[in-house]
Amino acid sequence: MDVIRAPSSSGEASAVDGCDAVGFESRLLRKSETIGTEAHALMERLYPLCRSLTGDGVRETLQLLKEIIPLKIHEVRTGTRAYDWVVPNEWNVRDAYVLDGRGQRVIDFRVSNLHVAGYSAPVDEKMSRTKLLEHLFSEPDHPDWVPYRHFYYKDGWGFCVSHRQLSELKEPEYRVRIDAQLDPGSLTYGELFLPGREPGEILISTHTCHPSLCNDNLSGVVTTAMLAREIADSPKRFGVRFLFVPATLGPIVWLSRNEQIVPHIRGGLVVAGVGDPGPFTYIQSRRGATQIDRAVAHVFKHATSTPAAIRDFAPVGYDQRQYCSPGFDLPMGCLMRTPNGEYPEYHTSADNLQFVTAAALGDSWRLMRLVLEILEENRTFLNLSPKGEPRLGPRGLFAEAQPLGIFWILSFSDGHHNLLDIAERAQMPFWRLREGARRLEECGLITEVNTRVVEQNV
Amino acid sequence: MDVIRAPSSSGEASAVDGCDAVGFESRLLRKSETIGTEAHALMERLYPLCRSLTGDGVRETLQLLKEIIPLKIHEVRTGTRAYDWVVPNEWNVRDAYVLDGRGQRVIDFRVSNLHVAGYSAPVDEKMSRTKLLEHLFSEPDHPDWVPYRHFYYKDGWGFCVSHRQLSELKEPEYRVRIDAQLDPGSLTYGELFLPGREPGEILISTHTCHPSLCNDNLSGVVTTAMLAREIADSPKRFGVRFLFVPATLGPIVWLSRNEQIVPHIRGGLVVAGVGDPGPFTYIQSRRGATQIDRAVAHVFKHATSTPAAIRDFAPVGYDQRQYCSPGFDLPMGCLMRTPNGEYPEYHTSADNLQFVTAAALGDSWRLMRLVLEILEENRTFLNLSPKGEPRLGPRGLFAEAQPLGIFWILSFSDGHHNLLDIAERAQMPFWRLREGARRLEECGLITEVNTRVVEQNV
Amino acid sequence: MDVIRAPSSSGEASAVDGCDAVGFESRLLRKSETIGTEAHALMERLYPLCRSLTGDGVRETLQLLKEIIPLKIHEVRTGTRAYDWVVPNEWNVRDAYVLDGRGQRVIDFRVSNLHVAGYSAPVDEKMSRTKLLEHLFSEPDHPDWVPYRHFYYKDGWGFCVSHRQLSELKEPEYRVRIDAQLDPGSLTYGELFLPGREPGEILISTHTCHPSLCNDNLSGVVTTAMLAREIADSPKRFGVRFLFVPATLGPIVWLSRNEQIVPHIRGGLVVAGVGDPGPFTYIQSRRGATQIDRAVAHVFKHATSTPAAIRDFAPVGYDQRQYCSPGFDLPMGCLMRTPNGEYPEYHTSADNLQFVTAAALGDSWRLMRLVLEILEENRTFLNLSPKGEPRLGPRGLFAEAQPLGIFWILSFSDGHHNLLDIAERAQMPFWRLREGARRLEECGLITEVNTRVVEQNV
């Protein structure tokens, strides 16, 4: 039992290039600053596009992402059934405006795509001010902000305006035009699968259906894209799948078309609203205490400077609702900063390029990267010298034993504790213990065990 | 798996008539006020009767209850064995007094039945003041109150008097008479079983052996009787059994004669001391965390305005000691307001008709009713559209989804969570979710599963 | 099921002589005062001996202990393999000093054996002050204290001096002599096994390798010896094994030579640093929540006047590291007062006979005795009258039912709760319930069940 073995799999590269443990953290911190800036620049290009549940704005968004990641773009035809749902008509707007008596555009889609409520039916008529007002949405509490509204799964049309704009509409009659198409077409989503060495995959999903709103959810789109780019070329243990889908219907459509993949999903994240400067919030998976829940809690504890909040699952909020629905019950949680609906800028024109910062995007990316590191590298080892402590001095491990948690790894590598279990008990960062495990594996003191047999946390 | 089915059992009436969820709470609140007044009036009629472990006072009490509920009255003969116990002689008092030199009754059973210690042996002699004093009980700390004492399972006799009364006994000799009978007879208890549709029953037990004391335990007797009357005629899922028994020996006798029923008891309450104005107290069952324990905690959380206390089981207190003894280990707890022994009026003449209020009785009744509602209606459902969220709009459920916890029911109706589990996780009142489940069942989105297979909380 | 049986095993003597429950506590308190004084006197005799990992100082220490307990002394030859370790050469010092120009001993082994670093190689040469200083260890923060250092498993030599002493070394050259032997010999340890009636044993281990240091660890040595003496002659349920071994290597050597005993160890304590006046600290076993962990927590709660601390297992500290290594994973914790390294006197000459008090030693002994009482007497019983409460009055148990927890024992003696489980739930001292169980067993209300079948806590 206490035979000294030669290093085995330790030569394999991990998802992270290089790996001295302490350096890993500071290198990642530096890299996150660069990436935050790149992510914000990407967001500036995506911002003007008129996204919705379907339509060309989504296609253009995904095409732009294809410049940096090899996304596969899927089109799902109108009328396709997906469980209790049906893919609706596709919606596109060419132009939309309200003209006053002098032919001036007093409401103009070209100024902001938020001005037209999503899925508005085409309109082309003169109408009284009174009738027009029935179709206008404004937010009196924030008179300069334009709200975001839509007519998903119901008939209707509307314009969204600032309350100031609304109060200036004093003429008796207006010319109203929404040059929109609402016809059979398709729902568009993007997918990127990066394969791993071992069976099983990790799912990162983000929604693409909101128009010119930055935090909700260009922040999720750009950080997810940056994460995919970062790890695209490095060897991975488990596959990683990235989905860029419209909210609610997107996951339902994807799940209905990929049921055979569901059993292989080891866990993952819905990423949404990660660009505002607020502290992090994580919504646990329905099951709670799954590996993804513990990984996020671990990263929050060891890698955030401001207090981060963890909330229990609730069947509200973003797309974790679909992935966690009882027919799937996937171990997926939702990473946000300030939760949806809890910041005043939410679903208004104030959720803009200034509201979202490069620093927040970069830091969100860093946390996603650390969570992924845990999901990828949470291995289970067996101490090959389990009776008493082995001597570390002769193996050159004495000096780094403490910072790399080497005694903890030796003590708990009994085949029943994975590295995250040990990191939690030791109250040490996972990535330090991962490096400690690498050293111990190199000198033959531990060996990886078949996690398929022993793991219980996924 | 996501087939839409027609409503099945939802048409069946529940134990509660009518059931729009929010209205249920306010209707019950109003009804509880009326019932509190009725309960207090009933207590006024029961108050003068001289109850004890056995005897005619108990018989008269049960006869009076028969006016409102179809109670079956049992007589168990003196000498009958019940496990480690034996039914003792029956005790009845015709009259009792102490006469002074002028033949005046200075202590008089006719003034209060508390004046004679329970199970006092017959006495008829002249005796010195000194000897008499050895047989008198008073409470110096409350000089106007008469204490309650008895000689169960031991020989003796005594009078209970106020300390003021005692201090006025200055004559050298007194004539002492207790015209009591302590002869073979029987122990009397009342029982009412209301059958249910499904196997299994709920047990509500209250003790009847205390003489003119209101909180301990006419309060339990009258609220239990009112609860039985309230539900007597409505269809029920599980049977409900009501026991009006002397404390300690009563449950032991009942259990010894009904062992075949014990396995069918799903849980229940011992009701005692529920008429004082103090906040509620619940003593958990021996096992703890059983359905009754969780039901009471839920009702305390969602339906009491003043903070209510939950205490761990301890083998002291009221009759839960017998139902929870290790040979039975029933999931039964004890509902009280201020616990026995923790209010100064306890076991004294000050526990009278003024100490117990109609409002307290009515509110106790309301809580018992809500607890019973949970025990009756805690069903387990299966979401028939479990992959992603089903669309609520087309089914007319959208507006009430939030107040009725519809998303919670859908998310957790996986066959492993009953409505109480879901109500706890959602932090919503059980009765709202029960209504939500009714709506979902009506439109075929959920179906009840055989609880006998999946439930684990009883 | 409710048959009344005659007393069975209750006549057997327990490890404790006499046993009225309340008296037990106060008798033990008085005895601990005497034992503290004896323990300190024993420590005074052991203090001057030059102990190390091996050598004659250890032999003399164990010989001295043989005066009070029938210790068996083992010699394990240099070169013997023990898992990843090898027994090193034996080390003995005859004399050691540094002479100044006048031939005066400016550092003198005869003054304190701490002056020579353990396992120093022999030296005999004149050398410059500069070179000598490279071999001197002092502690500038405490200029009057001599630190403790050693050269285990590495080559070298050194003297330990007070910083004041070091600063007075001003001559250019010194004569340095360490008359030590570092040659093949053996590692010496002591063992005492006291057999029990039932299979299984309890292990108490303490380290013997430190020179003239009192708290670390003559305190462990003398309290363990006193405990062994106390229980040597009384009949025991389980065997008790005492080990007096050098730290780290000692347990590893013992384990490697006694693997067949390991499965029989029900739990135990590493005793170290129990003589300082600080409050108690207990380091839990690796598994945590084992019987020893619960026993110590119980004793801390019910038998210490100052707040005692319980810490989670960590793979650092004393010899529990070896006993808890994953190849053995024994339920053993570590009893200390102020933890090693957390008091300034630690590993210096200030850890002397004044630092350790008789009162602290006596109180540590008392706690060890109580913990042992729980490990020995934690039996599981079955209530033979489990349906309802049995009558206590006719059995003469009524008066003591409350102080001896008799209702608790009856309520939870269902074969699934041992006395410690019940004591924890009742929040009563274990030794009271042990006495209550004895009374109940005497009158046939409970009977012991085969713990080998039902116990789950070891």
Side-chain angles (χ1 to χ4, degrees):
Chain A
M1 196 113 163
D2 54 328
V3 174
I4 309 288
R5 289 221 250 152
S8 56
S9 67
S10 62
E12 290 187 299
S14 94
V16 189
D17 55 299
C19 40
D20 72 282
V22 185
F24 172 72
E25 292 167 62
S26 53
R27 271 201 315 280
L28 199 64
L29 197 59
R30 281 195 305 275
K31 187 179 268 181
S32 72
E33 289 164 19
T34 314
I35 284 191
T37 306
E38 285 185 276
H40 201 277
L42 178 59
M43 198 169 66
E44 288 167 32
R45 296 177 62 197
L46 296 167
Y47 182 65
L49 303 175
C50 180
R51 280 165 297 273
S52 187
L53 180 52
T54 60
D56 290 331
V58 176
R59 281 186 197 95
E60 291 159 36
T61 296
L62 300 177
Q63 281 300 338
L64 219 150
L65 296 181
K66 277 189 84 163
E67 293 178 15
I68 61 165
I69 50 172
L71 214 51
K72 182 169 177 191
I73 297 175
H74 299 266
E75 300 284 351
V76 184
R77 291 243 291 271
T78 295
T80 306
R81 291 193 61 95
Y83 306 124
D84 200 44
W85 299 69
V86 176
V87 174
N89 281 339
E90 184 177 327
W91 182 70
N92 285 294
V93 193
R94 263 181 300 267
D95 197 3
Y97 47 82
V98 170
L99 299 183
D100 64 11
R102 291 168 301 155
Q104 297 290 318
R105 291 187 173 212
V106 291
I107 305 173
D108 186 357
F109 173 68
R110 295 174 312 190
V111 172
S112 164
N113 57 43
L114 289 175
H115 281 316
V116 178
Y119 268 70
S120 279
V123 183
D124 188 1
E125 61 177 277
K126 278 197 176 175
M127 62 183 72
S128 69
R129 179 179 171 274
T130 310
K131 181 173 176 195
L132 174 59
L133 283 178
E134 289 166 10
H135 293 268
L136 296 191
F137 302 100
S138 72
E139 200 161 321
D141 287 349
H142 298 284
D144 291 323
W145 298 357
V146 179
Y148 163 57
R149 295 289 165 85
H150 57 71
F151 286 89
Y152 290 176
Y153 302 103
K154 59 190 170 215
D155 295 330
W157 62 269
F159 284 93
C160 301
V161 293
S162 72
H163 203 64
R164 200 173 307 276
Q165 217 172 345
L166 183 144
S167 60
E168 285 163 6
L169 297 176
K170 306 216 152 96
E171 301 186 10
E173 196 180 64
Y174 288 90
R175 170 88 166 72
V176 178
R177 178 98 201 270
I178 297 180
D179 181 7
Q181 268 183 304
L182 193 50
D183 297 317
S186 63
L187 176 151
T188 313
Y189 70 85
E191 184 171 20
L192 170 63
F193 178 64
L194 305 172
R197 284 186 306 279
E198 299 184 16
E201 60 177 72
I202 294 152
L203 180 60
I204 313 286
S205 179
T206 196
H207 64 272
T208 54
C209 51
H210 287 47
S212 292
L213 297 170
C214 284
N215 198 42
D216 186 13
N217 185 34
L218 287 176
S219 69
V221 169
V222 297
T223 50
T224 301
M226 289 291 159
L227 184 65
R229 186 188 70 176
E230 168 76 7
I231 65 162
D233 298 324
S234 51
K236 271 163 287 295
R237 181 176 171 213
F238 299 118
V240 185
R241 187 178 301 272
F242 296 91
L243 294 181
F244 299 83
V245 288
T248 305
L249 187 58
I252 288 172
V253 164
W254 185 86
L255 287 161
S256 74
R257 292 156 56 97
N258 295 280
E259 284 206 357
Q260 78 290 354
I261 291 174
V262 170
H264 304 289
I265 297 174
R266 298 174 56 86
L269 284 178
V270 167
V271 180
V274 293
D276 68 277
F280 286 98
T281 304
Y282 174 70
I283 311 294
Q284 288 187 314
S285 75
R286 176 179 177 277
R287 279 192 260 157
T290 63
Q291 187 173 250
I292 180 65
D293 301 309
R294 294 170 58 206
V296 174
H298 189 82
V299 169
F300 277 4
K301 180 171 176 187
H302 292 284
T304 59
S305 48
T306 47
I310 292 178
R311 298 189 182 182
D312 191 11
F313 174 79
V316 294
Y318 288 119
D319 284 336
Q320 69 277 14
R321 282 155 41 211
Q322 312 309 328
Y323 297 113
C324 293
S325 63
F328 302 110
D329 198 18
L330 285 170
M332 290 187 65
C334 179
L335 184 70
M336 301 182 281
R337 284 173 170 272
T338 310
N340 52 307
E342 300 183 16
Y343 49 99
E345 295 84 356
Y346 176 72
H347 279 194
T348 76
S349 57
D351 177 6
N352 58 24
L353 290 163
Q354 284 68 52
F355 180 59
V356 165
T357 69
L361 291 171
D363 211 41
S364 297
W365 174 89
R366 186 175 64 89
L367 258 63
M368 291 157 66
R369 181 67 194 81
L370 287 170
V371 168
L372 186 62
E373 184 67 16
I374 295 176
L375 296 186
E376 284 280 336
E377 294 295 326
N378 187 17
R379 300 170 192 274
T380 303
F381 295 93
L382 198 64
N383 179 345
L384 297 170
S385 184
K387 295 181 176 178
E389 286 171 2
R391 296 186 63 198
L392 299 183
R395 293 173 174 95
L397 292 172
F398 198 81
E400 289 185 294
Q402 199 61 39
L404 300 186
I406 282 196
F407 288 110
W408 285 100
I409 301 168
L410 287 169
S411 183
F412 289 95
S413 285
D414 52 7
H416 300 292
H417 297 84
N418 58 35
L419 280 187
L420 182 55
D421 295 330
I422 302 175
E424 286 178 352
R425 183 116 185 220
Q427 304 200 54
M428 288 181 65
F430 173 87
W431 33 98
R432 298 247 183 116
L433 274 84
R434 179 179 54 75
E435 177 61 14
R438 197 183 62 78
R439 303 281 177 93
L440 285 167
E441 207 177 13
E442 264 176 13
C443 67
L445 280 172
I446 63 174
T447 191
E448 191 176 352
V449 296
N450 188 334
T451 52
R452 225 145 307 280
V453 178
V454 298
E455 77 184 15
Q456 310 210 352
N457 302 310
V458 173
Chain B
M1 195 115 166
D2 53 326
V3 174
I4 310 287
R5 289 220 250 153
S8 56
S9 65
S10 63
E12 291 187 299
S14 94
V16 188
D17 55 300
C19 40
D20 72 283
V22 184
F24 173 72
E25 292 167 61
S26 53
R27 273 202 313 281
L28 198 64
L29 199 58
R30 283 196 304 275
K31 186 180 268 181
S32 71
E33 287 164 20
T34 314
I35 285 192
T37 306
E38 285 186 277
H40 201 277
L42 179 59
M43 198 170 66
E44 287 167 34
R45 294 178 63 198
L46 295 168
Y47 182 65
L49 303 176
C50 180
R51 279 166 297 273
S52 187
L53 180 51
T54 61
D56 290 331
V58 176
R59 281 186 197 95
E60 290 160 36
T61 296
L62 299 177
Q63 282 300 337
L64 220 150
L65 295 181
K66 276 190 84 164
E67 293 178 15
I68 61 166
I69 50 172
L71 213 51
K72 180 169 177 192
I73 297 175
H74 300 266
E75 300 283 350
V76 183
R77 290 245 290 271
T78 294
T80 305
R81 292 192 61 93
Y83 306 125
D84 200 45
W85 300 68
V86 176
V87 174
N89 281 339
E90 183 177 327
W91 182 70
N92 284 296
V93 194
R94 263 181 300 268
D95 197 3
Y97 47 80
V98 171
L99 299 184
D100 64 11
R102 290 168 302 157
Q104 296 290 317
R105 288 187 173 214
V106 292
I107 304 174
D108 186 357
F109 173 68
R110 295 175 311 191
V111 172
S112 164
N113 57 42
L114 288 175
H115 279 316
V116 178
Y119 267 70
S120 279
V123 183
D124 189 1
E125 61 178 278
K126 276 198 177 175
M127 62 183 71
S128 69
R129 178 178 171 276
T130 310
K131 181 176 175 193
L132 174 60
L133 283 178
E134 289 167 10
H135 293 268
L136 297 191
F137 301 101
S138 73
E139 199 160 320
D141 286 350
H142 298 284
D144 290 323
W145 298 357
V146 180
Y148 163 57
R149 294 289 165 85
H150 58 69
F151 287 90
Y152 290 175
Y153 302 103
K154 59 190 170 215
D155 295 329
W157 61 269
F159 284 93
C160 301
V161 292
S162 72
H163 203 63
R164 200 173 309 276
Q165 215 173 349
L166 183 145
S167 60
E168 284 164 6
L169 297 175
K170 305 217 153 94
E171 298 186 12
E173 196 180 65
Y174 289 91
R175 172 85 167 70
V176 178
R177 180 95 201 272
I178 297 180
D179 180 8
Q181 268 185 306
L182 193 49
D183 296 318
S186 62
L187 175 149
T188 313
Y189 69 85
E191 183 171 19
L192 169 63
F193 179 64
L194 304 172
R197 284 188 307 278
E198 299 185 17
E201 61 177 71
I202 294 153
L203 180 60
I204 313 286
S205 179
T206 195
H207 63 273
T208 53
C209 51
H210 286 48
S212 292
L213 297 171
C214 284
N215 198 42
D216 186 12
N217 185 33
L218 287 176
S219 69
V221 169
V222 297
T223 50
T224 301
M226 289 292 159
L227 184 65
R229 187 189 68 175
E230 168 75 8
I231 65 163
D233 298 323
S234 49
K236 271 162 287 295
R237 180 175 169 214
F238 300 116
V240 185
R241 186 178 302 272
F242 295 92
L243 294 181
F244 299 82
V245 288
T248 304
L249 187 57
I252 288 171
V253 163
W254 184 85
L255 286 161
S256 73
R257 292 157 56 98
N258 295 281
E259 284 206 357
Q260 78 289 354
I261 291 173
V262 170
H264 303 289
I265 297 174
R266 298 174 57 85
L269 284 178
V270 166
V271 181
V274 292
D276 68 277
F280 286 99
T281 304
Y282 174 71
I283 311 294
Q284 289 186 313
S285 74
R286 175 180 179 275
R287 279 191 262 157
T290 65
Q291 185 172 253
I292 179 66
D293 301 309
R294 294 171 57 208
V296 174
H298 189 81
V299 169
F300 277 5
K301 180 171 175 186
H302 292 283
T304 59
S305 48
T306 47
I310 292 177
R311 298 187 182 183
D312 191 13
F313 173 79
V316 293
Y318 288 119
D319 283 336
Q320 68 277 16
R321 282 155 41 211
Q322 311 310 327
Y323 297 113
C324 293
S325 62
F328 301 112
D329 197 17
L330 284 170
M332 290 187 64
C334 178
L335 184 69
M336 301 183 282
R337 285 174 168 271
T338 310
N340 52 308
E342 300 184 16
Y343 50 98
E345 295 84 356
Y346 177 72
H347 278 196
T348 76
S349 56
D351 177 6
N352 57 25
L353 290 163
Q354 284 69 51
F355 180 58
V356 164
T357 69
L361 292 172
D363 210 41
S364 296
W365 175 89
R366 186 176 63 90
L367 258 63
M368 291 158 67
R369 182 68 194 80
L370 287 171
V371 168
L372 186 62
E373 184 67 15
I374 296 177
L375 296 187
E376 284 279 337
E377 294 296 324
N378 187 17
R379 299 170 192 273
T380 304
F381 295 93
L382 197 64
N383 179 345
L384 296 170
S385 183
K387 295 181 176 178
E389 286 171 1
R391 296 187 62 198
L392 300 183
R395 294 172 173 95
L397 291 172
F398 198 81
E400 289 185 295
Q402 199 60 40
L404 300 187
I406 282 197
F407 288 110
W408 286 100
I409 301 168
L410 287 169
S411 183
F412 288 96
S413 285
D414 53 7
H416 299 292
H417 297 84
N418 58 35
L419 280 187
L420 182 55
D421 295 331
I422 303 175
E424 287 178 351
R425 184 116 183 220
Q427 306 200 55
M428 288 181 66
F430 174 86
W431 32 98
R432 298 249 183 113
L433 274 84
R434 180 180 53 75
E435 176 62 14
R438 198 183 60 78
R439 303 279 177 96
L440 285 167
E441 207 177 13
E442 264 176 10
C443 66
L445 280 173
I446 63 173
T447 191
E448 192 176 353
V449 295
N450 188 332
T451 52
R452 225 146 306 282
V453 178
V454 299
E455 78 185 12
Q456 310 210 352
N457 302 311
V458 174
Chain C
M1 195 113 164
D2 54 326
V3 175
I4 310 288
R5 288 222 250 152
S8 56
S9 67
S10 63
E12 291 186 300
S14 95
V16 188
D17 55 299
C19 40
D20 71 283
V22 185
F24 173 72
E25 292 167 62
S26 54
R27 273 202 313 282
L28 198 64
L29 199 59
R30 282 195 304 276
K31 186 180 269 183
S32 72
E33 288 164 18
T34 315
I35 284 191
T37 306
E38 285 185 277
H40 200 278
L42 178 60
M43 198 171 64
E44 288 167 32
R45 295 176 64 198
L46 295 167
Y47 182 64
L49 304 174
C50 179
R51 279 166 297 273
S52 187
L53 180 51
T54 62
D56 290 331
V58 175
R59 282 188 195 94
E60 291 160 35
T61 297
L62 299 177
Q63 282 300 336
L64 220 151
L65 295 181
K66 278 189 82 164
E67 292 179 15
I68 60 164
I69 50 172
L71 213 52
K72 181 168 176 193
I73 298 175
H74 299 267
E75 300 284 351
V76 183
R77 292 246 289 272
T78 295
T80 306
R81 290 193 62 94
Y83 306 123
D84 200 45
W85 300 68
V86 176
V87 174
N89 281 339
E90 183 177 328
W91 182 71
N92 285 295
V93 194
R94 263 182 300 268
D95 197 2
Y97 48 81
V98 171
L99 299 184
D100 65 9
R102 291 167 302 154
Q104 296 291 318
R105 289 185 171 214
V106 291
I107 305 173
D108 185 357
F109 173 67
R110 294 175 314 190
V111 172
S112 165
N113 56 43
L114 289 175
H115 281 317
V116 178
Y119 267 70
S120 279
V123 183
D124 189 2
E125 61 177 278
K126 277 198 173 172
M127 63 183 70
S128 69
R129 177 178 173 276
T130 309
K131 181 176 175 190
L132 173 60
L133 283 179
E134 290 167 8
H135 293 268
L136 296 190
F137 302 100
S138 73
E139 200 161 317
D141 287 350
H142 298 282
D144 290 323
W145 297 358
V146 180
Y148 163 57
R149 295 289 165 86
H150 59 69
F151 286 89
Y152 289 177
Y153 301 103
K154 59 189 170 215
D155 296 329
W157 61 270
F159 284 93
C160 301
V161 293
S162 72
H163 201 66
R164 200 173 307 275
Q165 218 174 347
L166 183 144
S167 60
E168 285 164 6
L169 297 175
K170 305 214 154 99
E171 299 187 10
E173 196 181 67
Y174 288 91
R175 171 83 167 72
V176 178
R177 178 97 201 271
I178 297 179
D179 182 7
Q181 268 183 304
L182 193 48
D183 297 319
S186 61
L187 175 151
T188 313
Y189 70 85
E191 184 171 19
L192 170 63
F193 179 64
L194 304 172
R197 285 188 305 279
E198 299 184 17
E201 60 177 72
I202 294 153
L203 180 60
I204 313 287
S205 179
T206 195
H207 64 272
T208 54
C209 52
H210 286 47
S212 292
L213 297 170
C214 283
N215 199 42
D216 185 13
N217 184 33
L218 287 176
S219 69
V221 169
V222 298
T223 49
T224 301
M226 289 292 161
L227 184 65
R229 187 188 70 176
E230 168 75 9
I231 65 163
D233 297 324
S234 50
K236 270 164 289 296
R237 181 175 170 215
F238 300 117
V240 185
R241 187 178 302 272
F242 295 92
L243 294 182
F244 298 82
V245 288
T248 305
L249 187 57
I252 288 172
V253 164
W254 184 85
L255 287 161
S256 73
R257 292 157 57 98
N258 294 281
E259 284 206 357
Q260 79 288 355
I261 292 174
V262 170
H264 303 288
I265 297 174
R266 298 174 57 85
L269 285 178
V270 166
V271 181
V274 292
D276 68 276
F280 286 99
T281 304
Y282 173 71
I283 311 294
Q284 288 186 315
S285 75
R286 176 180 177 277
R287 279 191 262 158
T290 64
Q291 185 172 252
I292 178 66
D293 300 310
R294 295 171 57 207
V296 174
H298 188 82
V299 169
F300 277 5
K301 181 172 175 186
H302 292 283
T304 59
S305 48
T306 47
I310 293 178
R311 298 187 183 183
D312 191 12
F313 174 78
V316 294
Y318 288 119
D319 284 336
Q320 69 276 16
R321 281 155 42 210
Q322 311 309 328
Y323 297 115
C324 293
S325 62
F328 302 111
D329 198 16
L330 284 170
M332 290 187 64
C334 179
L335 183 70
M336 302 182 282
R337 285 172 168 272
T338 311
N340 52 308
E342 300 184 16
Y343 49 99
E345 296 84 355
Y346 176 72
H347 278 196
T348 77
S349 56
D351 177 6
N352 58 24
L353 291 163
Q354 284 70 52
F355 180 58
V356 164
T357 69
L361 291 172
D363 211 41
S364 297
W365 174 89
R366 185 175 64 88
L367 258 63
M368 291 158 66
R369 181 68 194 80
L370 287 170
V371 168
L372 187 62
E373 184 67 14
I374 296 176
L375 296 187
E376 284 279 337
E377 294 295 327
N378 187 18
R379 299 169 193 274
T380 304
F381 295 94
L382 198 63
N383 179 345
L384 297 170
S385 183
K387 295 180 176 179
E389 285 172 2
R391 295 187 62 198
L392 299 183
R395 294 173 174 94
L397 291 173
F398 199 81
E400 289 184 295
Q402 199 61 39
L404 300 186
I406 281 194
F407 288 110
W408 286 100
I409 300 168
L410 286 169
S411 183
F412 288 96
S413 284
D414 53 7
H416 299 294
H417 296 84
N418 58 34
L419 280 187
L420 182 56
D421 295 330
I422 302 175
E424 286 178 352
R425 184 117 183 220
Q427 304 200 56
M428 288 181 66
F430 174 87
W431 32 97
R432 298 248 182 113
L433 274 84
R434 180 179 53 75
E435 177 61 14
R438 198 183 62 77
R439 302 281 177 93
L440 286 168
E441 207 177 11
E442 266 178 12
C443 66
L445 280 172
I446 63 174
T447 191
E448 191 175 353
V449 295
N450 188 333
T451 52
R452 224 147 307 281
V453 178
V454 298
E455 77 186 12
Q456 310 210 355
N457 302 311
V458 173

